[in-house]
Amino acid sequence: MRAALIGFLAAGVVALAGAARAESGAFGDWIVVCDNVRTCNAYGFSDQDTEQLSYIRITRSGAAGAAPTISISANGEGSAVWRLEIDGFAVVDQVPASAGKDEVYQRAVLSSAQTATLLKGLANGGILSIWRGRDIVSAISLKGSSAALRWADDRQKRAGTVTALVAKGPKPASAVPAVPPPPLVRAAAPVSQAGLPKALPDAIKYPWESCDDDIGELGIDPQVFRLAPGLLMWQTACSRGAYNIIYDFSLLDEKGTLKGAPDFPYESGMAESGRLMNAEFDPGSQTLTNFDKARGLGDCGAFTSWVWTGQAFALKRSEVMPDCRGVPLDDWPTEFVSR
């Protein structure tokens, strides 16, 4: 399953195959995720043993002239004004922070000037501390920051150029190659959902032998959708975990004859056949989404969407968080984007 892939990503550096490559790397207390159009997101986290969670996110697109942006999130409510220090020395002052959508973190988005100043010290520091007046809010480890940013420079083809964050050189910005275009993905026009069958067809032997015997106790009714005239997709709950429901998907014609199972491709080139975790289908947009939770908090795993093209399901977008360090879904990096 997809969750197994996420666990593998967390273990080290993985290059994902495809026309344009997405890559992820882990360096000390830092991770980097670069998507298929060379947008890279680097994250640095607070120490695993601390109760005050915080993290920094550095985002930069692959375009030669793109500037990096920085946001910092730390446990807290309401608004505040922070001071940022590296190894006890003040670096950036007057950083406004406000409550995030998750209502767990206060989040600050640095100005371009503050971003440039902070980046000068990150790679050579040990601890980035966040202060509110005389009180320390939290601290972020800089262990691995230099390697993480240098790795991002390399994946964005910036190493040796004046645009690099760490691996700077004399080459001009024009030496950075153009960003590869994202693939074109178009959903088929939605079709009428009128007159759908009410009962599960006999052709679907449910539950499958590989499903939980007691899955019916959850009370999750099978769902059916019309993908195209003459083609139906049934979604049936198959098994469960502490925080995941696994569904089976089957394709049938209008007479109830089984045609097989749909494939759900990933950026890696792998595909899941007929089975997904925590999945929902919207027939109005012909979009199927799933959320692979790596743990109950939902702060790591993968969130993926596909669209029905009229012939098959095509990958539309995916977001991943390889490390379970408290990052809410709305702050996850992209692994794959399309247009």
Side-chain angles (χ1 to χ4, degrees):
M1 298 299 293
R2 176 69 164 166
L5 175 62
I6 295 301
F8 184 50
L9 280 173
V13 177
V14 178
L16 303 175
R21 300 171 60 184
E23 299 182 89
S24 300
F27 310 87
D29 290 314
W30 283 63
I31 63 168
V32 186
V33 177
C34 298
D35 66 17
N36 61 313
V37 293
R38 294 207 300 266
T39 292
C40 291
N41 284 271
Y43 295 78
F45 302 102
S46 54
D47 187 271
Q48 293 268 28
D49 297 327
T50 184
E51 295 182 359
Q52 296 299 319
L53 294 178
S54 57
Y55 63 93
I56 182 173
R57 178 184 183 181
I58 304 172
T59 302
R60 195 180 201 184
S61 83
T69 61
I70 292 180
S71 65
I72 298 176
S73 300
N75 283 147
E77 299 177 350
S79 59
V81 177
W82 291 343
R83 181 179 73 259
L84 306 180
E85 297 184 357
I86 294 180
D87 298 336
F89 294 94
V91 178
V92 179
D93 202 0
Q94 298 298 308
V95 178
S98 57
K101 295 179 182 178
D102 47 74
E103 298 183 350
V104 173
Y105 292 103
Q106 291 175 320
R107 185 170 297 169
V109 178
L110 274 60
S111 68
S112 57
Q114 291 172 333
T115 294
T117 299
L118 186 60
L119 283 172
K120 291 178 181 178
L122 280 181
N124 298 314
I127 295 291
L128 170 64
S129 53
I130 305 165
W131 292 80
R132 183 175 57 245
R134 296 183 178 182
D135 300 321
I136 188 166
V137 175
S138 189
I140 296 170
S141 171
L142 298 182
K143 179 183 177 182
S145 59
S146 179
L149 298 180
R150 188 178 295 275
W151 190 83
D153 283 339
D154 179 73
R155 293 323 185 260
Q156 290 194 321
K157 314 297 183 185
R158 298 182 185 279
T161 75
V162 295
T163 73
L165 298 178
V166 176
K168 290 185 178 294
K171 296 179 182 177
S174 58
V176 178
V179 173
L184 179 64
V185 177
R186 288 288 183 266
V191 296
S192 171
Q193 302 296 303
L196 292 171
K198 303 295 184 182
L200 193 67
D202 293 337
I204 300 180
K205 297 178 181 179
Y206 179 74
W208 302 102
E209 292 181 359
S210 59
C211 295
D212 295 345
D213 293 335
D214 61 349
I215 192 64
E217 295 178 4
L218 292 182
I220 302 176
D221 294 329
Q223 292 182 281
V224 60
F225 310 96
R226 184 173 288 109
L227 298 179
L231 183 63
L232 305 180
M233 179 176 72
W234 281 87
Q235 177 180 343
T236 52
C238 177
S239 59
R240 59 181 170 178
Y243 39 82
N244 290 306
I245 303 293
I246 298 175
Y247 294 92
D248 278 341
F249 292 84
S250 304
L251 298 176
L252 295 88
D253 63 19
E254 298 276 0
K255 296 180 180 180
T257 303
L258 185 64
K259 297 299 183 181
D263 288 332
F264 308 114
Y266 291 102
E267 201 279 342
S268 64
M270 298 189 300
E272 196 70 50
S273 183
R275 186 166 289 185
L276 291 173
M277 290 182 181
N278 307 321
E280 295 183 3
F281 181 69
D282 174 19
S285 63
Q286 297 277 45
T287 300
L288 178 67
T289 59
N290 95 296
F291 188 6
D292 286 318
K293 294 183 181 179
R295 66 175 182 174
L297 289 176
D299 63 337
C300 49
F303 188 86
T304 311
S305 62
W306 299 264
V307 295
W308 176 254
T309 66
Q311 301 295 324
F313 279 100
L315 181 62
K316 180 72 174 178
R317 180 183 177 91
S318 62
E319 300 168 5
V320 298
M321 179 44 66
D323 213 345
C324 301
R325 303 287 283 268
V327 181
L329 179 60
D330 67 353
D331 217 16
W332 286 15
T334 56
E335 178 195 46
F336 180 87
V337 295
S338 64
R339 57 187 171 94

